[in-house]
Amino acid sequence: MAKKKIVRRKIKRPSSGKKPYFTKDTQRAINEFCSAKDDHVLRADLYRKEIKPALEKLAENLIFVYGFHKQHDDVELLKHTCVVNLYENLHKFDHTRGSNAFSYFNVVAKNWLIIQSRRKNKRRKRLVYMDDKESLSANDEALIAAHSIAPDP
């Protein structure tokens, strides 16, 4: 007898109500922002209403997806400075090339977060606290013990 072949079908699950944060409207707003170089009122309005929420969500997602929140104490400050960096780089996006703004800003934010994490790790490895005796190496302890301070005249 031939065995019956079992066909497994994926169950379509209803969406969890999550709305995409970087939509075509956001792309359009960024294009308008880049086009309106002299109209500061329009640029401020576009940024505040349509672009800023998308950039905040993008930064938050990158921080938590790639684990940058583990290295930094204040996640809100990290997110805020990342959004500030994205705002500073907003004018560099060339919408005439036909590229997607989400892809561009995703790469810019990820690179910025990587640089910040490397700086923080470098600082953490470079600094040695004299109060923390467990983190001191034997060489560091010997250097501290041999160091003499001249009395104040």
Side-chain angles (χ1 to χ4, degrees):
M1 262 191 176
K3 288 187 178 180
K4 286 186 177 180
K5 186 175 181 181
I6 299 174
V7 177
R8 295 185 186 196
R9 295 189 179 131
K10 291 185 179 180
I11 299 172
K12 289 186 180 180
R13 297 178 189 208
S15 65
S16 59
K18 292 182 184 178
K19 144 182 147 177
Y21 58 91
F22 225 95
T23 62
K24 291 180 181 180
D25 293 334
T26 310
Q27 175 79 28
R28 179 198 45 79
I30 290 173
N31 292 346
E32 286 179 27
F33 182 90
C34 292
S35 297
K37 294 190 186 287
D38 295 330
D39 192 359
H40 298 293
V41 175
L42 175 66
R43 287 177 75 148
D45 190 44
L46 281 171
Y47 178 74
R48 189 177 349 96
K49 289 182 180 174
E50 298 184 38
I51 300 171
K52 185 179 178 184
L55 293 182
E56 286 178 345
K57 190 65 177 167
L58 173 71
E60 181 180 339
N61 286 351
L62 287 174
I63 288 168
F64 286 105
V65 166
Y66 291 102
F68 295 112
H69 66 283
K70 296 175 186 172
Q71 298 172 350
H72 297 272
D73 301 328
D74 191 3
V75 176
E76 286 299 317
L77 178 63
L78 180 65
K79 183 175 93 170
H80 176 70
T81 53
C82 184
V83 171
V84 168
N85 178 56
L86 288 173
Y87 177 73
E88 290 172 354
N89 290 315
L90 202 58
H91 72 281
K92 294 179 184 177
F93 176 68
D94 187 9
H95 61 280
T96 59
R97 297 178 72 182
S99 60
N100 191 355
F102 172 74
S103 301
Y104 177 79
F105 290 111
N106 194 19
V107 170
V108 169
K110 197 184 321 179
N111 288 340
W112 185 84
L113 288 167
I114 289 170
I115 290 168
Q116 295 305 313
S117 293
R118 286 182 180 165
R119 281 185 188 164
K120 185 157 181 104
N121 286 339
K122 192 174 188 180
R123 243 182 270 126
R124 188 177 63 230
K125 289 178 183 176
R126 187 180 293 165
L127 293 177
V128 176
Y129 295 101
M130 294 176 68
D131 296 340
D132 190 12
K133 299 289 184 186
E134 291 86 32
S135 68
L136 293 176
S137 66
N139 188 26
D140 291 338
E141 288 180 6
L143 287 172
I144 292 170
H147 187 73
S148 62
I149 300 174
D152 200 23

